[in-house]
Short mmCIF file of all heavy atoms in Angstrom, two decimals:
data_model
loop_
_atom_site.label_atom_id
_atom_site.label_comp_id
_atom_site.label_asym_id
_atom_site.label_seq_id
_atom_site.Cartn_x
_atom_site.Cartn_y
_atom_site.Cartn_z
N LEU A 898 105.95 111.29 113.37
CA LEU A 898 106.45 110.74 114.64
C LEU A 898 105.29 110.62 115.62
O LEU A 898 104.22 111.19 115.40
CB LEU A 898 107.50 111.70 115.24
CG LEU A 898 108.82 111.86 114.47
CD1 LEU A 898 109.60 113.07 115.01
CD2 LEU A 898 109.67 110.60 114.58
N HIS A 899 105.51 109.89 116.71
CA HIS A 899 104.51 109.91 117.78
C HIS A 899 104.41 111.35 118.28
O HIS A 899 105.45 111.99 118.54
CB HIS A 899 104.95 109.01 118.93
CG HIS A 899 105.02 107.56 118.53
ND1 HIS A 899 103.90 106.84 118.20
CD2 HIS A 899 106.06 106.72 118.39
CE1 HIS A 899 104.26 105.61 117.89
NE2 HIS A 899 105.57 105.50 117.98
N VAL A 900 103.22 111.86 118.39
CA VAL A 900 103.07 113.26 118.79
C VAL A 900 103.01 113.31 120.32
O VAL A 900 101.95 113.22 120.94
CB VAL A 900 101.86 113.90 118.10
CG1 VAL A 900 101.68 115.34 118.56
CG2 VAL A 900 102.08 113.86 116.59
N THR A 901 104.21 113.41 120.89
CA THR A 901 104.41 113.33 122.34
C THR A 901 105.20 114.54 122.81
O THR A 901 105.70 115.33 122.00
CB THR A 901 105.25 112.08 122.67
OG1 THR A 901 106.53 112.24 122.02
CG2 THR A 901 104.59 110.79 122.17
N THR A 902 105.36 114.62 124.12
CA THR A 902 106.14 115.73 124.68
C THR A 902 107.59 115.67 124.21
O THR A 902 108.24 116.70 124.07
CB THR A 902 106.11 115.66 126.22
OG1 THR A 902 106.55 114.37 126.64
CG2 THR A 902 104.71 115.90 126.76
N GLU A 903 108.09 114.45 123.98
CA GLU A 903 109.48 114.30 123.56
C GLU A 903 109.65 114.79 122.12
O GLU A 903 110.60 115.50 121.79
CB GLU A 903 109.91 112.84 123.69
CG GLU A 903 109.98 112.33 125.12
CD GLU A 903 108.62 112.07 125.75
OE1 GLU A 903 107.64 111.84 125.01
OE2 GLU A 903 108.51 112.10 127.00
N THR A 904 108.68 114.42 121.27
CA THR A 904 108.70 114.91 119.89
C THR A 904 108.60 116.43 119.87
O THR A 904 109.22 117.11 119.05
CB THR A 904 107.56 114.24 119.10
OG1 THR A 904 107.83 112.84 119.05
CG2 THR A 904 107.44 114.79 117.70
N SER A 923 102.59 109.39 113.75
CA SER A 923 102.95 108.09 113.16
C SER A 923 102.00 107.01 113.63
O SER A 923 102.03 105.89 113.12
CB SER A 923 104.38 107.72 113.54
OG SER A 923 104.49 107.50 114.93
N ASN A 924 101.16 107.34 114.60
CA ASN A 924 100.22 106.36 115.14
C ASN A 924 99.09 107.14 115.81
O ASN A 924 99.35 107.91 116.73
CB ASN A 924 100.97 105.48 116.16
CG ASN A 924 100.07 104.42 116.79
OD1 ASN A 924 98.87 104.60 116.94
ND2 ASN A 924 100.68 103.32 117.16
N SER A 927 98.92 107.13 119.76
CA SER A 927 99.94 107.72 120.64
C SER A 927 99.85 109.24 120.69
O SER A 927 100.52 109.88 121.49
CB SER A 927 101.34 107.29 120.20
OG SER A 927 101.59 107.74 118.89
N ASP A 973 108.92 107.61 111.06
CA ASP A 973 108.86 106.56 112.08
C ASP A 973 107.98 105.46 111.51
O ASP A 973 106.77 105.43 111.75
CB ASP A 973 108.28 107.14 113.37
CG ASP A 973 108.17 106.09 114.47
OD1 ASP A 973 108.37 104.89 114.19
OD2 ASP A 973 107.89 106.47 115.62
N GLY A 974 108.58 104.59 110.72
CA GLY A 974 107.81 103.52 110.09
C GLY A 974 107.70 103.68 108.59
O GLY A 974 106.94 102.97 107.95
N ASP A 976 106.29 105.76 106.64
CA ASP A 976 105.04 106.20 106.00
C ASP A 976 105.25 107.38 105.05
O ASP A 976 104.68 107.42 103.96
CB ASP A 976 104.00 106.61 107.06
CG ASP A 976 103.34 105.40 107.70
OD1 ASP A 976 103.13 104.40 106.99
OD2 ASP A 976 103.06 105.45 108.90
N VAL A 998 113.37 106.39 112.25
CA VAL A 998 113.65 106.16 113.67
C VAL A 998 113.42 104.73 114.14
O VAL A 998 113.93 104.34 115.18
CB VAL A 998 112.87 107.18 114.55
CG1 VAL A 998 111.41 106.81 114.66
CG2 VAL A 998 113.48 107.32 115.93
N THR A 999 112.70 103.91 113.39
CA THR A 999 112.35 102.62 113.97
C THR A 999 112.82 101.43 113.13
O THR A 999 112.97 101.53 111.91
CB THR A 999 110.83 102.55 114.27
OG1 THR A 999 110.60 101.56 115.25
CG2 THR A 999 110.00 102.22 113.06
N SER A 1000 113.03 100.28 113.80
CA SER A 1000 113.61 99.09 113.14
C SER A 1000 112.82 98.67 111.91
O SER A 1000 113.40 98.40 110.85
CB SER A 1000 113.64 97.90 114.11
OG SER A 1000 114.04 98.27 115.38
N ASN A 1023 117.77 104.67 113.78
CA ASN A 1023 117.73 103.39 114.49
C ASN A 1023 119.04 102.63 114.41
O ASN A 1023 119.36 101.84 115.29
CB ASN A 1023 116.59 102.51 113.95
CG ASN A 1023 116.38 101.30 114.83
OD1 ASN A 1023 115.92 101.42 115.96
ND2 ASN A 1023 116.74 100.13 114.34
N LYS A 1028 120.83 105.08 119.68
CA LYS A 1028 119.38 104.88 119.59
C LYS A 1028 119.02 103.48 120.05
O LYS A 1028 118.47 103.27 121.11
CB LYS A 1028 118.90 105.19 118.17
CG LYS A 1028 117.40 105.42 118.08
CD LYS A 1028 116.61 104.14 118.03
CE LYS A 1028 115.13 104.35 117.93
NZ LYS A 1028 114.40 103.10 117.84
N ASP A 1032 116.97 103.19 123.49
CA ASP A 1032 115.53 103.40 123.21
C ASP A 1032 114.82 102.05 123.08
O ASP A 1032 113.85 101.75 123.79
CB ASP A 1032 115.47 104.24 121.93
CG ASP A 1032 114.12 104.41 121.30
OD1 ASP A 1032 113.40 103.42 121.14
OD2 ASP A 1032 113.78 105.54 120.91
N ASN A 1033 115.33 101.17 122.19
CA ASN A 1033 114.65 99.90 121.94
C ASN A 1033 114.65 99.04 123.20
O ASN A 1033 113.66 98.40 123.54
CB ASN A 1033 115.32 99.14 120.79
CG ASN A 1033 115.35 99.94 119.49
OD1 ASN A 1033 115.36 101.17 119.52
ND2 ASN A 1033 115.37 99.27 118.37
N ASN A 1040 108.25 100.63 128.94
CA ASN A 1040 106.87 101.05 128.66
C ASN A 1040 105.95 99.87 128.29
O ASN A 1040 104.73 99.98 128.40
CB ASN A 1040 106.80 102.23 127.68
CG ASN A 1040 106.97 101.86 126.23
OD1 ASN A 1040 106.92 100.69 125.84
ND2 ASN A 1040 107.17 102.87 125.40
N GLY A 1142 105.61 95.29 119.11
CA GLY A 1142 106.33 95.39 117.83
C GLY A 1142 105.73 96.52 117.02
O GLY A 1142 104.86 97.25 117.48
N HIS A 1143 106.14 96.60 115.78
CA HIS A 1143 105.79 97.79 115.02
C HIS A 1143 104.30 97.92 114.67
O HIS A 1143 103.70 98.97 114.81
CB HIS A 1143 106.61 97.80 113.73
CG HIS A 1143 106.35 98.98 112.87
ND1 HIS A 1143 106.74 100.24 113.24
CD2 HIS A 1143 105.74 99.10 111.70
CE1 HIS A 1143 106.39 101.08 112.30
NE2 HIS A 1143 105.78 100.42 111.35
N PHE A 1144 103.71 96.84 114.21
CA PHE A 1144 102.35 96.94 113.66
C PHE A 1144 101.37 96.06 114.42
O PHE A 1144 101.78 95.17 115.16
CB PHE A 1144 102.34 96.49 112.20
CG PHE A 1144 102.59 97.60 111.24
CD1 PHE A 1144 103.49 97.44 110.20
CD2 PHE A 1144 101.93 98.81 111.36
CE1 PHE A 1144 103.73 98.47 109.31
CE2 PHE A 1144 102.16 99.84 110.48
CZ PHE A 1144 103.07 99.66 109.44
N ARG A 1185 97.66 96.81 119.01
CA ARG A 1185 98.57 97.87 118.56
C ARG A 1185 99.66 98.06 119.60
O ARG A 1185 99.59 97.53 120.70
CB ARG A 1185 97.82 99.18 118.39
CG ARG A 1185 96.92 99.17 117.20
CD ARG A 1185 96.02 100.36 117.28
NE ARG A 1185 95.20 100.49 116.10
CZ ARG A 1185 95.56 101.21 115.04
NH1 ARG A 1185 96.69 101.86 115.02
NH2 ARG A 1185 94.75 101.29 114.01
N LEU A 1186 100.61 98.91 119.24
CA LEU A 1186 101.76 99.14 120.09
C LEU A 1186 101.34 99.47 121.52
O LEU A 1186 100.85 100.55 121.82
CB LEU A 1186 102.52 100.32 119.47
CG LEU A 1186 104.00 100.30 119.58
CD1 LEU A 1186 104.59 99.09 118.88
CD2 LEU A 1186 104.54 101.56 118.94
N GLN A 1189 102.74 102.41 123.74
CA GLN A 1189 102.33 103.73 123.23
C GLN A 1189 100.86 103.97 123.50
O GLN A 1189 100.45 105.07 123.82
CB GLN A 1189 102.57 103.82 121.72
CG GLN A 1189 103.74 104.69 121.34
CD GLN A 1189 105.04 103.94 121.35
OE1 GLN A 1189 105.11 102.81 121.83
NE2 GLN A 1189 106.09 104.53 120.84
N GLU A 1193 102.60 105.62 128.02
CA GLU A 1193 102.88 106.95 127.44
C GLU A 1193 104.10 106.97 126.55
O GLU A 1193 104.84 107.95 126.55
CB GLU A 1193 103.09 107.96 128.57
CG GLU A 1193 101.82 108.26 129.31
CD GLU A 1193 102.06 109.31 130.37
OE1 GLU A 1193 102.54 110.41 130.05
OE2 GLU A 1193 101.78 109.01 131.54
N ALA A 1194 104.35 105.89 125.82
CA ALA A 1194 105.53 105.82 124.96
C ALA A 1194 106.80 105.89 125.81
O ALA A 1194 106.74 105.82 127.04
CB ALA A 1194 105.50 106.90 123.89
N HIS A 1195 107.93 106.03 125.15
CA HIS A 1195 109.18 105.99 125.90
C HIS A 1195 109.35 107.27 126.72
O HIS A 1195 108.99 108.36 126.27
CB HIS A 1195 110.39 105.89 124.97
CG HIS A 1195 110.46 104.65 124.16
ND1 HIS A 1195 109.50 103.68 124.18
CD2 HIS A 1195 111.41 104.24 123.30
CE1 HIS A 1195 109.85 102.71 123.35
NE2 HIS A 1195 111.01 103.03 122.80
N PRO A 1196 109.98 107.13 127.87
CA PRO A 1196 110.22 108.30 128.71
C PRO A 1196 111.23 109.28 128.08
O PRO A 1196 112.05 108.92 127.25
CB PRO A 1196 110.80 107.70 130.00
CG PRO A 1196 110.43 106.27 129.97
CD PRO A 1196 110.37 105.88 128.53
N MET A 1200 114.40 109.20 125.18
CA MET A 1200 114.14 109.90 123.91
C MET A 1200 115.13 111.04 123.71
O MET A 1200 115.36 111.48 122.59
CB MET A 1200 112.70 110.41 123.84
CG MET A 1200 111.64 109.32 123.76
SD MET A 1200 111.95 108.03 122.54
CE MET A 1200 111.89 108.95 121.01
N THR A 1203 117.69 109.42 121.62
CA THR A 1203 117.15 109.14 120.28
C THR A 1203 117.06 110.43 119.47
O THR A 1203 117.49 110.50 118.32
CB THR A 1203 115.75 108.53 120.39
OG1 THR A 1203 115.85 107.30 121.10
CG2 THR A 1203 115.12 108.29 119.03
N PHE A 1204 116.47 111.44 120.08
CA PHE A 1204 116.19 112.66 119.31
C PHE A 1204 117.42 113.55 119.16
O PHE A 1204 117.52 114.30 118.18
CB PHE A 1204 114.99 113.39 119.90
CG PHE A 1204 113.67 112.75 119.51
CD1 PHE A 1204 112.53 112.95 120.26
CD2 PHE A 1204 113.57 111.96 118.37
CE1 PHE A 1204 111.31 112.36 119.89
CE2 PHE A 1204 112.37 111.37 118.01
CZ PHE A 1204 111.23 111.57 118.76
N1 SAH B 1389 104.22 103.28 113.32
C1 SAH B 1389 104.62 102.52 114.49
C2 SAH B 1389 105.83 103.16 115.05
C3 SAH B 1389 106.84 102.28 115.78
S1 SAH B 1389 107.02 102.85 117.33
C4 SAH B 1389 103.40 102.44 115.39
O1 SAH B 1389 102.53 101.64 115.09
O2 SAH B 1389 103.23 103.17 116.34
C5 SAH B 1389 108.66 102.75 117.74
C6 SAH B 1389 109.35 104.08 117.74
O3 SAH B 1389 108.66 105.01 118.55
C7 SAH B 1389 110.73 103.94 118.33
O4 SAH B 1389 111.70 103.97 117.33
C8 SAH B 1389 110.84 105.09 119.31
O5 SAH B 1389 111.99 105.89 119.14
C9 SAH B 1389 109.58 105.91 119.07
N2 SAH B 1389 109.08 106.47 120.32
C10 SAH B 1389 108.93 105.82 121.48
N3 SAH B 1389 108.53 106.66 122.44
C11 SAH B 1389 108.43 107.89 121.89
C12 SAH B 1389 108.09 109.16 122.39
N4 SAH B 1389 107.84 109.35 123.68
N5 SAH B 1389 108.05 110.18 121.53
C13 SAH B 1389 108.36 109.99 120.23
N6 SAH B 1389 108.70 108.82 119.70
C14 SAH B 1389 108.76 107.77 120.53
#
Side-chain angles (χ1 to χ4, degrees):
L898 293 167
H899 296 293
V900 178
T901 62
T902 54
E903 293 75 23
T904 296
S923 66
N924 180 331
S927 61
D973 180 350
D976 282 324
V998 76
T999 202
S1000 318
N1023 190 69
K1028 197 278 180 178
D1032 170 312
N1033 302 28
N1040 80 13
H1143 180 69
F1144 270 133
R1185 288 168 175 268
L1186 214 61
Q1189 253 86 349
E1193 290 182 57
H1195 296 3
M1200 292 313 296
T1203 299
F1204 282 158

